[in-house]
Coordinates of all heavy atoms in Angstrom, one line a residue:
M290 N 79.7 106.5 54.2 CA 81.0 106.7 53.6 C 82.0 106.6 54.7 O 81.9 107.2 55.8 CB 81.0 108.2 53.0 CG 82.4 108.5 52.5 SD 82.2 110.2 51.8 CE 83.9 110.6 51.6
S291 N 83.0 105.8 54.5 CA 84.1 105.6 55.5 C 85.4 106.2 54.9 O 85.6 106.2 53.7 CB 84.3 104.1 55.8 OG 84.8 103.5 54.7
Y292 N 86.2 106.7 55.9 CA 87.4 107.3 55.5 C 88.5 106.2 55.5 O 88.5 105.3 56.3 CB 87.8 108.4 56.5 CG 86.8 109.5 56.4 CD1 85.8 109.7 57.3 CD2 86.9 110.5 55.3 CE1 84.8 110.7 57.2 CE2 86.0 111.5 55.2 CZ 85.0 111.6 56.2 OH 84.1 112.7 56.0
P293 N 89.5 106.3 54.6 CA 90.6 105.3 54.6 C 91.5 105.5 55.8 O 91.6 106.5 56.4 CB 91.3 105.6 53.3 CG 91.0 107.0 53.0 CD 89.6 107.3 53.6
D294 N 92.0 104.4 56.3 CA 92.9 104.3 57.4 C 94.3 104.6 56.9 O 94.9 103.7 56.2 CB 92.8 103.0 58.2 CG 93.7 103.0 59.4 OD1 94.0 104.1 59.9 OD2 94.0 101.9 59.9
Y295 N 94.9 105.7 57.2 CA 96.2 106.1 56.8 C 97.3 105.7 57.8 O 98.5 106.0 57.6 CB 96.3 107.6 56.5 CG 95.5 108.0 55.3 CD1 94.4 108.8 55.4 CD2 95.8 107.5 54.0 CE1 93.7 109.2 54.4 CE2 95.0 107.9 52.9 CZ 94.0 108.7 53.1 OH 93.2 109.1 52.0
G296 N 97.0 105.0 58.8 CA 97.9 104.5 59.8 C 98.0 105.6 60.9 O 97.2 106.4 61.1
P297 N 99.1 105.4 61.7 CA 99.2 106.3 62.9 C 99.4 107.8 62.4 O 100.0 108.1 61.4 CB 100.4 105.8 63.6 CG 101.1 104.9 62.7 CD 100.1 104.5 61.6
S298 N 99.0 108.7 63.3 CA 99.1 110.1 63.0 C 100.5 110.5 63.2 O 101.3 110.0 63.9 CB 98.2 110.8 64.0 OG 98.4 112.2 63.9
Y299 N 100.9 111.6 62.5 CA 102.2 112.2 62.6 C 102.5 112.7 64.0 O 103.5 112.7 64.5 CB 102.4 113.3 61.6 CG 103.6 114.0 61.7 CD1 104.9 113.5 61.3 CD2 103.7 115.3 62.3 CE1 106.1 114.1 61.4 CE2 104.9 116.0 62.4 CZ 106.1 115.4 61.9 OH 107.3 116.0 62.0
Y300 N 101.4 113.2 64.7 CA 101.5 113.8 66.0 C 101.4 112.7 67.1 O 101.4 113.1 68.3 CB 100.5 114.9 66.2 CG 100.6 116.0 65.2 CD1 99.8 116.1 64.1 CD2 101.7 116.9 65.3 CE1 99.9 117.1 63.2 CE2 101.9 117.9 64.3 CZ 101.0 118.0 63.3 OH 101.2 119.0 62.4
G301 N 101.2 111.5 66.8 CA 101.0 110.5 67.8 C 99.5 110.3 68.2 O 98.6 110.9 67.6
P302 N 99.3 109.5 69.2 CA 97.9 109.3 69.6 C 97.3 110.6 70.2 O 98.0 111.4 70.8 CB 98.0 108.2 70.6 CG 99.4 108.3 71.1 CD 100.2 108.8 70.0
P303 N 96.0 110.7 70.2 CA 95.4 111.9 70.8 C 95.5 111.9 72.3 O 95.6 110.8 72.9 CB 93.9 111.8 70.4 CG 93.7 110.3 70.1 CD 95.0 109.8 69.6
P304 N 95.6 113.1 72.9 CA 95.8 113.1 74.3 C 94.6 112.5 75.1 O 93.5 112.5 74.6 CB 95.9 114.6 74.7 CG 95.4 115.3 73.5 CD 95.5 114.4 72.3
Q305 N 94.9 111.8 76.2 CA 93.8 111.2 76.9 C 93.7 111.8 78.3 O 94.6 112.5 78.7 CB 94.2 109.7 77.1 CG 94.3 108.9 75.9 CD 94.8 107.5 76.1 OE1 95.2 107.1 77.3 NE2 94.8 106.7 75.1
S306 N 92.6 111.6 79.0 CA 92.4 112.1 80.3 C 92.3 110.8 81.2 O 91.6 109.9 80.9 CB 91.1 112.9 80.5 OG 91.3 114.1 79.8
H307 N 93.0 110.8 82.3 CA 92.9 109.7 83.2 C 91.6 109.9 83.9 O 91.2 110.9 84.4 CB 94.1 109.7 84.2 CG 94.2 108.4 85.0 ND1 93.4 108.0 86.0 CD2 95.0 107.3 84.7 CE1 93.8 106.8 86.4 NE2 94.7 106.4 85.7
P308 N 90.8 108.8 84.1 CA 89.5 108.9 84.6 C 89.5 109.3 86.1 O 88.4 109.8 86.6 CB 88.9 107.5 84.5 CG 90.0 106.6 84.1 CD 91.2 107.4 83.6
Q309 N 90.5 109.2 86.8 CA 90.5 109.5 88.3 C 91.2 110.9 88.5 O 91.3 111.3 89.7 CB 91.2 108.4 89.1 CG 90.5 107.1 89.1 CD 91.2 106.1 90.0 OE1 92.4 106.2 90.2 NE2 90.4 105.1 90.4
G310 N 91.6 111.6 87.5 CA 92.3 112.9 87.7 C 91.4 113.9 88.4 O 91.9 114.5 89.4
T311 N 90.2 114.1 88.0 CA 89.4 115.0 88.7 C 89.1 114.6 90.1 O 89.0 115.5 91.0 CB 88.0 115.2 87.9 OG1 88.4 115.5 86.5 CG2 87.2 116.3 88.5
T312 N 88.9 113.4 90.3 CA 88.6 112.9 91.7 C 89.7 113.2 92.6 O 89.5 113.6 93.8 CB 88.3 111.3 91.6 OG1 87.3 111.1 90.7 CG2 87.9 110.8 93.0
I313 N 90.9 113.0 92.2 CA 92.1 113.2 93.0 C 92.2 114.7 93.3 O 92.5 115.1 94.4 CB 93.4 112.6 92.4 CG1 93.3 111.1 92.3 CG2 94.6 113.1 93.1 CD1 94.3 110.5 91.5
L314 N 92.0 115.5 92.3 CA 92.1 117.0 92.6 C 91.0 117.4 93.5 O 91.3 118.2 94.5 CB 91.9 117.7 91.2 CG 92.0 119.3 91.3 CD1 93.4 119.7 91.8 CD2 91.7 119.9 90.0
V315 N 89.8 116.9 93.4 CA 88.7 117.3 94.3 C 89.0 116.8 95.7 O 88.9 117.6 96.7 CB 87.4 116.8 93.8 CG1 86.3 116.9 94.9 CG2 87.0 117.5 92.5
L316 N 89.5 115.6 95.9 CA 89.9 115.1 97.2 C 91.0 115.9 97.8 O 91.0 116.2 99.0 CB 90.3 113.6 97.1 CG 89.3 112.6 97.0 CD1 89.9 111.2 96.8 CD2 88.3 112.6 98.1
G317 N 92.0 116.3 97.0 CA 93.1 117.1 97.5 C 92.6 118.5 98.0 O 93.1 118.9 99.1
I318 N 91.8 119.1 97.3 CA 91.3 120.4 97.6 C 90.4 120.3 98.9 O 90.5 121.1 99.8 CB 90.6 121.1 96.5 CG1 91.6 121.5 95.4 CG2 89.8 122.3 96.9 CD1 90.9 121.9 94.1
L319 N 89.5 119.3 98.9 CA 88.7 119.1 100.1 C 89.5 118.8 101.3 O 89.1 119.2 102.4 CB 87.7 118.0 99.8 CG 86.5 118.4 98.9 CD1 85.6 117.2 98.6 CD2 85.7 119.5 99.4
S320 N 90.6 118.1 101.1 CA 91.4 117.8 102.3 C 92.0 119.0 102.9 O 92.3 119.1 104.1 CB 92.5 116.8 101.9 OG 93.5 117.4 101.1
L321 N 92.3 120.1 102.1 CA 92.8 121.3 102.6 C 91.8 122.2 103.2 O 92.0 122.9 104.2 CB 93.5 122.1 101.5 CG 94.9 121.5 101.1 CD1 95.4 122.3 99.9 CD2 95.9 121.5 102.2
V322 N 90.6 122.2 102.6 CA 89.5 123.1 103.0 C 88.6 122.6 104.1 O 88.2 123.3 105.0 CB 88.8 123.6 101.7 CG1 87.6 124.5 102.1 CG2 89.7 124.2 100.7
V323 N 88.1 121.4 103.9 CA 87.1 120.8 104.7 C 87.5 119.8 105.7 O 87.3 120.0 106.9 CB 85.9 120.2 103.8 CG1 84.8 119.6 104.7 CG2 85.4 121.2 102.9
C324 N 88.1 118.7 105.3 CA 88.4 117.6 106.1 C 89.8 117.1 105.9 O 90.1 116.6 104.8 CB 87.4 116.5 105.9 SG 87.6 115.0 106.9
T325 N 90.7 117.3 106.9 CA 92.1 116.9 106.7 C 92.3 115.4 106.6 O 93.3 114.9 106.0 CB 92.9 117.4 107.9 OG1 92.4 118.7 108.2 CG2 94.3 117.4 107.6
F326 N 91.3 114.6 107.1 CA 91.5 113.1 107.0 C 91.4 112.6 105.6 O 91.8 111.4 105.4 CB 90.3 112.5 107.9 CG 90.4 112.8 109.3 CD1 89.5 113.7 109.9 CD2 91.4 112.3 110.1 CE1 89.6 114.0 111.2 CE2 91.5 112.6 111.4 CZ 90.6 113.5 112.0
I327 N 91.0 113.3 104.6 CA 91.0 112.9 103.2 C 92.4 113.0 102.6 O 92.6 112.3 101.6 CB 90.0 113.7 102.4 CG1 88.6 113.7 103.1 CG2 89.9 113.2 101.0 CD1 87.6 114.6 102.4
G328 N 93.3 113.7 103.2 CA 94.6 114.0 102.6 C 95.4 112.7 102.3 O 95.9 112.6 101.2
P329 N 95.5 111.8 103.2 CA 96.3 110.6 102.8 C 95.7 109.8 101.7 O 96.4 109.2 100.9 CB 96.2 109.7 104.1 CG 96.0 110.7 105.2 CD 95.2 111.8 104.6
F330 N 94.4 109.8 101.5 CA 93.7 109.1 100.4 C 94.1 109.8 99.1 O 94.4 109.2 98.1 CB 92.2 109.1 100.5 CG 91.8 108.3 101.7 CD1 91.3 108.9 102.8 CD2 91.9 106.9 101.7 CE1 90.9 108.2 104.0 CE2 91.6 106.1 102.8 CZ 91.0 106.8 103.9
A331 N 94.1 111.2 99.1 CA 94.4 111.9 97.9 C 95.9 111.7 97.5 O 96.3 111.5 96.4 CB 94.2 113.4 98.0
W332 N 96.7 111.6 98.6 CA 98.2 111.4 98.4 C 98.4 110.0 97.8 O 99.2 109.9 96.8 CB 98.9 111.6 99.7 CG 100.4 111.5 99.7 CD1 101.2 111.3 98.6 CD2 101.2 111.5 100.8 NE1 102.5 111.2 99.0 CE2 102.6 111.4 100.3 CE3 101.0 111.7 102.2 CZ2 103.6 111.4 101.2 CZ3 102.1 111.8 103.0 CH2 103.4 111.6 102.5
S333 N 97.9 109.0 98.3 CA 98.1 107.6 97.8 C 97.5 107.4 96.5 O 98.1 106.8 95.6 CB 97.6 106.6 98.8 OG 96.2 106.7 98.9
M334 N 96.3 107.9 96.2 CA 95.7 107.8 94.9 C 96.4 108.5 93.9 O 96.6 108.0 92.7 CB 94.2 108.2 95.0 CG 93.3 107.3 95.7 SD 91.6 108.0 95.8 CE 91.1 108.1 94.1
G335 N 96.9 109.7 94.2 CA 97.7 110.5 93.2 C 99.0 109.8 92.9 O 99.4 109.8 91.7
T336 N 99.7 109.2 93.9 CA 100.9 108.5 93.6 C 100.7 107.3 92.7 O 101.4 107.1 91.8 CB 101.6 108.1 94.9 OG1 101.8 109.2 95.7 CG2 102.9 107.4 94.7
R337 N 99.6 106.6 93.0 CA 99.3 105.4 92.2 C 99.0 105.8 90.7 O 99.5 105.2 89.8 CB 98.1 104.6 92.8 CG 97.8 103.4 92.0 CD 96.6 102.6 92.6 NE 95.5 103.5 92.9 CZ 94.6 103.8 91.9 NH1 94.7 103.4 90.7 NH2 93.5 104.6 92.2
V338 N 98.2 106.9 90.5 CA 97.8 107.3 89.2 C 99.0 107.8 88.4 O 99.1 107.6 87.3 CB 96.6 108.3 89.3 CG1 96.4 109.0 88.0 CG2 95.4 107.6 89.7
L339 N 99.9 108.6 89.1 CA 101.1 109.1 88.4 C 102.0 107.9 88.0 O 102.5 108.0 86.9 CB 101.9 110.0 89.3 CG 101.2 111.4 89.5 CD1 102.0 112.2 90.5 CD2 101.2 112.1 88.2
R340 N 102.0 106.9 88.8 CA 102.8 105.7 88.3 C 102.2 105.1 87.1 O 102.8 104.6 86.2 CB 102.9 104.7 89.5 CG 103.9 105.1 90.5 CD 104.1 104.0 91.5 NE 104.9 104.5 92.6 CZ 104.7 104.1 93.9 NH1 103.8 103.2 94.2 NH2 105.5 104.6 94.8
E341 N 100.8 105.0 87.1 CA 100.1 104.4 85.9 C 100.4 105.3 84.7 O 100.6 104.7 83.6 CB 98.6 104.4 86.2 CG 98.2 103.3 87.2 CD 96.7 103.3 87.4 OE1 95.9 104.1 86.7 OE2 96.2 102.7 88.4
I342 N 100.3 106.6 84.8 CA 100.5 107.5 83.7 C 101.9 107.3 83.2 O 102.2 107.2 82.0 CB 100.2 108.9 84.1 CG1 98.7 109.1 84.3 CG2 100.8 109.9 83.1 CD1 98.4 110.5 84.9
D343 N 102.9 107.3 84.1 CA 104.3 107.1 83.6 C 104.6 105.8 83.0 O 105.3 105.7 82.0 CB 105.3 107.3 84.8 CG 105.3 108.7 85.3 OD1 104.9 109.7 84.6 OD2 105.7 109.0 86.5
A344 N 103.9 104.8 83.5 CA 104.1 103.4 82.9 C 103.4 103.3 81.5 O 103.8 102.4 80.7 CB 103.6 102.3 83.9
S345 N 102.4 104.0 81.3 CA 101.6 103.9 80.0 C 102.4 104.4 78.8 O 102.3 103.8 77.8 CB 100.3 104.6 80.1 OG 100.5 106.0 80.1
G346 N 103.2 105.4 79.0 CA 103.9 106.0 77.9 C 103.1 106.9 77.0 O 103.6 107.5 76.1
Y347 N 101.8 107.1 77.3 CA 101.0 108.0 76.6 C 101.0 109.4 77.3 O 101.3 109.5 78.5 CB 99.6 107.5 76.5 CG 99.5 106.3 75.6 CD1 99.2 105.1 76.1 CD2 99.6 106.4 74.2 CE1 99.1 103.9 75.3 CE2 99.5 105.3 73.4 CZ 99.2 104.1 73.9 OH 99.1 103.0 73.1
Y348 N 100.6 110.4 76.5 CA 100.4 111.7 77.1 C 99.0 111.9 77.7 O 98.0 111.7 76.9 CB 100.6 112.8 76.0 CG 100.3 114.2 76.4 CD1 101.2 114.9 77.3 CD2 99.2 114.9 76.0 CE1 100.9 116.1 77.8 CE2 98.9 116.1 76.5 CZ 99.8 116.7 77.3 OH 99.5 118.0 77.8
Y349 N 98.9 112.2 78.9 CA 97.7 112.4 79.6 C 97.6 113.9 79.8 O 98.4 114.5 80.5 CB 97.5 111.7 80.9 CG 97.2 110.2 80.7 CD1 98.3 109.3 80.5 CD2 95.9 109.8 80.7 CE1 98.0 107.9 80.4 CE2 95.7 108.4 80.6 CZ 96.7 107.5 80.4 OH 96.4 106.2 80.2
E350 N 96.5 114.5 79.4 CA 96.3 116.0 79.5 C 96.0 116.4 80.9 O 96.1 117.6 81.2 CB 95.3 116.5 78.5 CG 93.9 115.9 78.7 CD 92.9 116.3 77.6 OE1 93.3 117.0 76.7 OE2 91.7 115.9 77.7
N351 N 95.6 115.5 81.8 CA 95.2 115.9 83.2 C 96.3 115.5 84.2 O 96.0 115.4 85.3 CB 93.8 115.4 83.5 CG 93.7 113.9 83.5 OD1 94.6 113.2 83.1 ND2 92.6 113.4 84.1
R352 N 97.5 115.3 83.7 CA 98.6 115.0 84.7 C 98.8 116.1 85.7 O 99.1 115.8 86.9 CB 99.9 114.7 83.9 CG 101.0 114.3 84.8 CD 102.3 114.1 84.0 NE 103.4 113.9 84.9 CZ 103.9 112.7 85.3 NH1 103.3 111.6 84.8 NH2 104.9 112.7 86.1
G353 N 98.7 117.3 85.3 CA 98.8 118.4 86.2 C 97.8 118.4 87.3 O 98.1 118.8 88.4
M354 N 96.6 118.0 86.9 CA 95.5 117.9 87.9 C 95.8 116.9 89.0 O 95.6 117.1 90.2 CB 94.2 117.6 87.3 CG 93.6 118.8 86.4 SD 92.1 118.3 85.5 CE 91.1 117.6 86.7
V355 N 96.3 115.7 88.5 CA 96.7 114.7 89.4 C 97.8 115.1 90.3 O 97.8 114.8 91.5 CB 97.1 113.4 88.6 CG1 97.6 112.3 89.5 CG2 95.9 112.9 87.8
Q356 N 98.8 115.8 89.8 CA 99.9 116.3 90.6 C 99.5 117.3 91.6 O 99.9 117.3 92.8 CB 101.0 116.9 89.7 CG 101.8 115.9 89.0 CD 102.9 116.5 88.0 OE1 102.7 117.6 87.6 NE2 104.0 115.8 87.8
A357 N 98.6 118.2 91.2 CA 98.1 119.2 92.2 C 97.3 118.6 93.3 O 97.4 118.9 94.5 CB 97.2 120.2 91.4
G358 N 96.4 117.6 93.0 CA 95.7 116.8 94.0 C 96.6 116.1 94.9 O 96.4 116.1 96.2
R359 N 97.6 115.5 94.4 CA 98.6 114.8 95.2 C 99.3 115.7 96.2 O 99.5 115.4 97.3 CB 99.6 114.0 94.3 CG 100.6 113.2 95.1 CD 101.5 112.5 94.1 NE 102.6 111.9 94.8 CZ 103.9 112.3 94.8 NH1 104.1 113.4 94.1 NH2 104.8 111.7 95.5
I360 N 99.8 116.8 95.7 CA 100.5 117.8 96.5 C 99.6 118.3 97.6 O 100.0 118.5 98.7 CB 101.1 118.9 95.6 CG1 102.2 118.4 94.8 CG2 101.6 120.1 96.5 CD1 102.7 119.3 93.7
C361 N 98.3 118.6 97.2 CA 97.3 119.1 98.3 C 97.2 118.0 99.3 O 97.1 118.3 100.5 CB 96.0 119.4 97.7 SG 96.0 120.9 96.7
G362 N 97.2 116.7 98.9 CA 97.0 115.6 99.9 C 98.2 115.5 100.8 O 98.1 115.2 101.9
I363 N 99.5 115.7 100.2 CA 100.7 115.7 101.0 C 100.7 116.8 102.0 O 100.9 116.6 103.2 CB 101.9 115.8 100.1 CG1 102.1 114.6 99.2 CG2 103.2 116.1 100.9 CD1 103.1 114.7 98.2
V364 N 100.3 118.0 101.6 CA 100.3 119.2 102.5 C 99.2 118.9 103.6 O 99.5 119.1 104.8 CB 99.9 120.5 101.8 CG1 99.7 121.6 102.7 CG2 101.1 120.8 100.9
S365 N 98.1 118.4 103.3 CA 97.0 118.1 104.3 C 97.5 117.0 105.2 O 97.2 117.1 106.4 CB 95.8 117.7 103.5 OG 94.8 117.4 104.4
S366 N 98.2 116.0 104.7 CA 98.6 114.9 105.6 C 99.7 115.4 106.6 O 99.7 115.0 107.7 CB 99.2 113.8 104.7 OG 98.3 113.2 103.9
V367 N 100.6 116.3 106.1 CA 101.6 116.8 107.0 C 100.9 117.7 108.1 O 101.2 117.6 109.3 CB 102.6 117.7 106.3 CG1 103.5 118.5 107.2 CG2 103.5 116.7 105.4
M368 N 99.8 118.5 107.7 CA 99.1 119.2 108.7 C 98.4 118.3 109.7 O 98.3 118.6 110.9 CB 98.1 120.2 108.0 CG 98.8 121.3 107.3 SD 97.7 122.5 106.3 CE 96.1 122.1 106.7
L369 N 97.9 117.2 109.2 CA 97.2 116.2 110.1 C 98.2 115.7 111.1 O 97.9 115.6 112.3 CB 96.5 115.1 109.3 CG 95.8 114.1 110.0 CD1 94.6 114.6 110.7 CD2 95.5 112.9 109.0
I370 N 99.3 115.3 110.6 CA 100.4 114.7 111.5 C 100.8 115.8 112.6 O 101.0 115.4 113.8 CB 101.6 114.2 110.7 CG1 101.1 112.9 109.9 CG2 102.8 113.9 111.6 CD1 102.1 112.5 108.9
L371 N 101.0 117.0 112.1 CA 101.4 118.0 113.0 C 100.3 118.3 114.1 O 100.6 118.5 115.3 CB 101.8 119.3 112.3 CG 103.1 119.3 111.5 CD1 103.2 120.6 110.7 CD2 104.2 119.1 112.4
T372 N 99.1 118.3 113.6 CA 98.0 118.5 114.6 C 97.9 117.4 115.6 O 97.8 117.7 116.8 CB 96.6 118.6 113.8 OG1 96.7 119.6 112.9 CG2 95.5 118.8 114.8
F373 N 98.0 116.2 115.2 CA 98.0 115.1 116.2 C 99.2 115.2 117.1 O 99.2 114.9 118.3 CB 98.0 113.7 115.5 CG 96.6 113.3 115.1 CD1 96.4 112.8 113.8 CD2 95.6 113.4 116.0 CE1 95.1 112.4 113.5 CE2 94.3 113.0 115.7 CZ 94.0 112.5 114.4
G374 N 100.4 115.6 116.6 CA 101.6 115.7 117.4 C 101.4 116.8 118.5 O 101.7 116.6 119.6
F375 N 100.8 117.9 118.1 CA 100.6 119.0 119.0 C 99.5 118.6 120.1 O 99.6 118.9 121.2 CB 100.1 120.3 118.4 CG 101.2 121.0 117.7 CD1 101.1 121.4 116.4 CD2 102.4 121.4 118.4 CE1 102.2 122.1 115.8 CE2 103.4 122.0 117.8 CZ 103.3 122.4 116.5
L376 N 98.5 117.8 119.7 CA 97.5 117.3 120.6 C 98.1 116.4 121.6 O 97.8 116.5 122.8 CB 96.3 116.7 119.9 CG 95.4 117.6 119.2 CD1 94.4 116.8 118.4 CD2 94.6 118.5 120.2
I377 N 98.9 115.5 121.2 CA 99.6 114.5 122.1 C 100.5 115.3 123.0 O 100.5 115.0 124.2 CB 100.3 113.4 121.3 CG1 99.2 112.5 120.6 CG2 101.2 112.6 122.1 CD1 99.9 111.6 119.6
F378 N 101.2 116.2 122.5 CA 102.2 117.0 123.3 C 101.4 117.8 124.3 O 101.8 117.9 125.5 CB 103.0 117.9 122.4 CG 104.0 118.8 123.1 CD1 105.1 118.2 123.7 CD2 103.7 120.1 123.3 CE1 106.0 119.0 124.4 CE2 104.6 120.9 124.0 CZ 105.8 120.4 124.5
G379 N 100.3 118.4 123.9 CA 99.5 119.2 124.8 C 98.9 118.3 125.9 O 98.8 118.7 127.1
F380 N 98.3 117.2 125.6 CA 97.8 116.3 126.6 C 98.9 115.8 127.5 O 98.7 115.6 128.8 CB 97.1 115.1 126.0 CG 95.7 115.4 125.4 CD1 95.3 115.1 124.1 CD2 94.8 116.1 126.2 CE1 94.1 115.3 123.6 CE2 93.5 116.4 125.7 CZ 93.2 116.0 124.4
G381 N 100.0 115.5 127.0 CA 101.2 115.1 127.8 C 101.6 116.2 128.9 O 101.8 115.9 130.0
I382 N 101.6 117.4 128.4 CA 102.0 118.5 129.3 C 100.9 118.7 130.3 O 101.2 118.9 131.5 CB 102.2 119.8 128.5 CG1 103.4 119.7 127.6 CG2 102.2 121.0 129.4 CD1 104.7 119.6 128.3
A383 N 99.6 118.6 129.9 CA 98.5 118.7 130.9 C 98.5 117.6 131.9 O 98.3 117.9 133.1 CB 97.2 118.7 130.1
L384 N 98.8 116.4 131.5 CA 98.9 115.3 132.4 C 100.1 115.5 133.4 O 100.0 115.2 134.6 CB 99.0 114.0 131.7 CG 97.8 113.4 131.0 CD1 98.1 112.2 130.2 CD2 96.7 113.2 132.0
L385 N 101.2 115.9 132.9 CA 102.4 116.1 133.7 C 102.2 117.3 134.7 O 102.5 117.2 135.9 CB 103.6 116.4 132.9 CG 104.3 115.2 132.2 CD1 105.5 115.7 131.3 CD2 104.8 114.2 133.3
S386 N 101.5 118.3 134.3 CA 101.3 119.5 135.2 C 100.3 119.1 136.2 O 100.4 119.6 137.4 CB 100.9 120.7 134.4 OG 99.6 120.5 133.8
G387 N 99.3 118.3 135.8 CA 98.3 117.8 136.8 C 98.9 116.9 137.8 O 98.6 116.9 139.0
A388 N 99.8 116.0 137.4 CA 100.5 115.1 138.3 C 101.5 115.8 139.2 O 101.6 115.4 140.4 CB 101.2 114.0 137.5
L389 N 102.1 116.8 138.7 CA 103.1 117.5 139.5 C 102.4 118.5 140.5 O 103.0 118.7 141.6 CB 104.0 118.4 138.6 CG 105.0 117.5 137.7 CD1 105.8 118.5 136.9 CD2 105.9 116.7 138.6
S390 N 101.2 119.0 140.2 CA 100.6 119.9 141.1 C 99.9 119.2 142.3 O 99.6 119.8 143.3 CB 99.6 120.8 140.4 OG 98.5 120.0 139.9
S391 N 99.6 117.9 142.2 CA 98.9 117.2 143.3 C 99.8 116.5 144.2 O 100.9 116.4 144.2 CB 97.8 116.3 142.7 OG 98.4 115.4 141.8

């Protein structure tokens, strides 16, 4: 038995989930907790997927997950840049103090 096709629903198309939403959230959380080097990947993937979601015009139920993963990636990337900045500054100070003491 088949049901008749009455056309589009009054409420619009059913909500969809972007296939990479969970991946971006997991990468963002892992970049904060385990490995900071994953942060830029979560940031770039999240930005790309948010552009895809906005361009599609459909409602994606996991947009919040993508945004959370992207924000975690941004925070992790900033922490990574600050860490490298402090390391370079520290090595520079150590080299200068070594050169000045001899």
Side-chain angles (χ1 to χ4, degrees):
M290 175 176 167
S291 71
Y292 294 100
D294 183 22
Y295 292 114
S298 169
Y299 175 73
Y300 299 107
Q305 301 174 352
S306 292
H307 197 279
Q309 292 181 341
T311 306
T312 304
I313 294 168
L314 181 63
V315 169
L316 284 176
I318 292 172
L319 286 177
S320 71
L321 286 175
V322 177
V323 179
C324 181
T325 316
F326 295 108
I327 303 173
F330 296 107
W332 184 1
S333 65
M334 287 175 64
T336 301
R337 183 182 50 82
V338 167
L339 284 175
R340 285 185 188 149
E341 287 177 10
I342 289 173
D343 292 339
S345 71
Y347 290 109
Y348 173 73
Y349 283 86
E350 60 188 1
N351 63 347
R352 181 185 172 91
M354 291 172 50
V355 173
Q356 286 177 330
R359 179 176 173 257
I360 291 170
C361 289
I363 290 171
V364 169
S365 177
S366 297
V367 168
M368 288 179 8
L369 179 67
I370 291 169
L371 289 175
T372 301
F373 277 133
F375 284 129
L376 285 174
I377 291 171
F378 180 73
F380 283 130
I382 294 295
L384 288 174
L385 282 177
S386 66
L389 293 177
S390 66
S391 52

